[in-house]
Amino acid sequence: MKKIIPYSTLPKVTLALSFMFITGFVQKTNAQEIITIQQAIDETLHNNLQVKQSQLSESLSDENFKQSKNALLPTLNSNGSYNINYGRSVDPSTNQFNSQQFSSFNGGVSTSINVFQGFQKLNQIKQNKILLDADKTNTAKVKNDLILKVITSYLDILYNKDFLVAAKQQLSVAQQQLKQQQELLDVGNKTLADLAEAKAQVATADLDVVTAENSLSISYLTLAQLMDIPSATKYDVKAPLLESFSKPLTSVNPDEVYSSALSVFPDIKLAALKTEASKRGMDIAKGNYYPSLSFGAGLSTNYSSGRKSIVGVIPKEDKVIGVVEGTTTRVVAPDFTTLTENYKFKNQIQDNFGQYVGLSLQIPIFNGFSARSTVRKAKIAYMQNQTEEQLVKNNLNKIIYQAVADLKAASGTFESTTNTFTARKEAFSVIEQRYNVGLVNSLDYNTSLTNKNKAEIDMIRAKYDLLFKAKVIDYYLGQQIVF
């Protein structure tokens, strides 16, 4: 048993879902592949680029959702720089001018975390989660739209094959009629006008055959393109076998169907998710009105090759720095020589090590009304999505009422075609018996056979149509479609 739950554009596709009960298989006949409807669907979903694009969009939304959650975590960064200085420049280790060439290094680690930002990050997480759900819904919608297209194209092939058979049968009848008219003309029982009319019927029937062949070729090409296989691929499709059929219930209430459809129809869900996401967008925009508070901390150190360390002092003779006024007494000061060496890298890194912690508060006062404008734009986007959601609901309501009307019409068509086929079948049975005993010519026999075949094709098509439209209503009622 195959199962399918269609999602969108259901009333636009007719006679389709009844084919989903076919058992999947592949056969080879004269090097031509015979595919089932399920294989056509699987091939389309595997190869179609629209599905892949939607899945990539879904993956992107998933990454956005994960990133918005990670944005709540604190940041941790390190930095470092190495410079060679020439000429007069400030030594970063001593903050003094140095005219000699020296090299310097600065490094540090810093961390920060937003303590409060108007709940923007929390609302961003909620919005991204909604957008992820919306993309998942869209992926499912794309897949099911493609499934319905495949089923329609598959059905077109079956229809066109039947039409081609009927057209060839009609051409055969027209040719026999032309032959009969020619024989009657030869014996003087018909006129040239009758012969010309018979020729016109043959030409019309021949045109119908060509048209049916072209339609069949186009339907094969359409399905091949949906499956994204080479257009020149030769294949055939497997027709379903309807062993039993019971007329489904056609008396349904469209209002009840609509109420059930609101909870399962993907277009409604997608529109509602977009509306909810835009509502979260308003909350994000309103966060610009609030002050933001962040906490930060860091570690730093530096090194300079121009910095020296004192290792000792050598005393020298006292140096005269002046004379006491009015006397000859000299004023002296001790003098010494300082011994230095290069300040080791390790020691500088340890000695210059520093830390800091701090809070940063930003209060929005006036920014050219940018925050207000952002909130207004978010509100307009929310109202647009609300309107779009209501339009989708209104459209669904119209589709359901149309589907109910189509179901009733399909029921009437099925009864009519069934009665017609029964009558044609009985008439052909009589003609066949008379033909077997020589009471009916071959022309009348072929004409009756053509009428019976056409009536049977119409009945089968009406049967599929009624079955599909009944299953469509079952779906809107929230019931699973099973064949």
Side-chain angles (χ1 to χ4, degrees), residues 115-366:
V115 180
F116 180 76
Q117 198 175 350
F119 305 107
Q120 285 184 313
K121 290 188 175 182
L122 294 177
N123 287 320
Q124 187 67 63
I125 293 174
K126 296 177 181 179
Q127 185 188 51
N128 287 344
K129 179 63 171 62
I130 296 172
L131 292 175
L132 175 59
D133 292 337
D135 282 339
K136 289 181 178 179
T137 302
N138 185 66
T139 299
K141 180 180 181 299
V142 169
K143 288 182 177 180
N144 284 275
D145 287 346
L146 286 171
I147 289 175
L148 295 176
K149 290 180 180 179
V150 170
I151 295 175
T152 304
S153 300
Y154 194 95
L155 185 63
D156 286 341
I157 295 176
L158 297 175
Y159 284 172
N160 289 328
K161 289 174 67 176
D162 290 339
F163 292 156
L164 179 58
V165 171
K168 287 182 177 180
Q169 290 178 346
Q170 190 60 39
L171 176 61
S172 177
V173 172
Q175 289 172 341
Q176 291 186 30
Q177 288 178 340
L178 175 60
K179 181 180 179 181
Q180 184 184 56
Q181 294 296 323
Q182 182 65 53
E183 293 175 349
L184 293 174
L185 177 64
D186 293 340
V187 298
N189 291 334
K190 290 293 181 179
T191 65
L192 291 175
D194 295 326
L195 183 63
E197 179 63 26
K199 289 181 178 180
Q201 291 179 358
V202 171
T204 301
D206 185 63
L207 177 61
D208 291 339
V209 171
V210 174
T211 302
E213 289 175 343
N214 291 337
S215 298
L216 182 59
S217 298
I218 292 174
S219 58
Y220 274 118
L221 177 63
T222 301
L223 182 58
Q225 291 175 343
L226 280 173
M227 293 188 294
D228 199 15
I229 62 177
S231 300
T233 302
K234 298 297 182 181
Y235 66 95
D236 201 358
V237 297
K238 179 66 177 179
L241 299 175
L242 292 180
E243 298 179 354
S244 62
F245 176 79
S246 59
K247 184 179 176 181
L249 180 66
T250 58
S251 176
V252 294
N253 188 326
D255 291 327
E256 294 179 355
V257 177
Y258 175 70
S259 298
S260 299
L262 287 176
S263 61
V264 297
F265 201 65
D267 286 17
I268 299 295
K269 181 179 179 181
L270 184 60
L273 288 172
K274 289 182 178 180
T275 301
E276 182 64 22
S278 61
K279 184 177 180 181
R280 290 297 177 185
M282 290 176 54
D283 296 335
I284 294 173
K286 290 178 181 179
N288 293 320
Y289 289 144
Y290 294 91
S292 60
L293 178 66
S294 61
F295 169 81
L299 308 173
S300 64
T301 187
N302 58 65
Y303 162 82
S304 172
S305 63
R307 186 175 180 181
K308 305 295 182 180
S309 62
I310 300 175
V311 296
V313 177
I314 301 177
K316 298 169 57 177
E317 292 184 2
D318 293 341
K319 180 170 63 177
V320 177
I321 60 174
V323 179
V324 177
E325 185 178 359
T327 68
T328 59
T329 305
R330 295 179 298 174
V331 178
V332 297
D335 191 12
F336 53 84
T337 300
T338 303
L339 300 178
T340 63
E341 66 177 7
N342 291 332
Y343 208 149
K344 294 182 179 180
F345 178 83
K346 178 181 178 181
N347 295 336
Q348 285 197 51
I349 293 298
Q350 293 176 345
D351 294 344
N352 296 334
F353 182 74
Q355 312 91 34
Y356 76 91
V357 293
L359 292 173
S360 175
L361 177 66
Q362 292 184 338
I363 302 176
I365 298 176
F366 180 76

Side-chain angles (χ1 to χ4, degrees), residues 103 177 238 363 367 402-403 430 471:
S103 59
Q177 288 178 340
K238 179 66 177 179
I363 302 176
N367 294 284
Q402 184 64 49
V430 175
K471 293 302 179 181

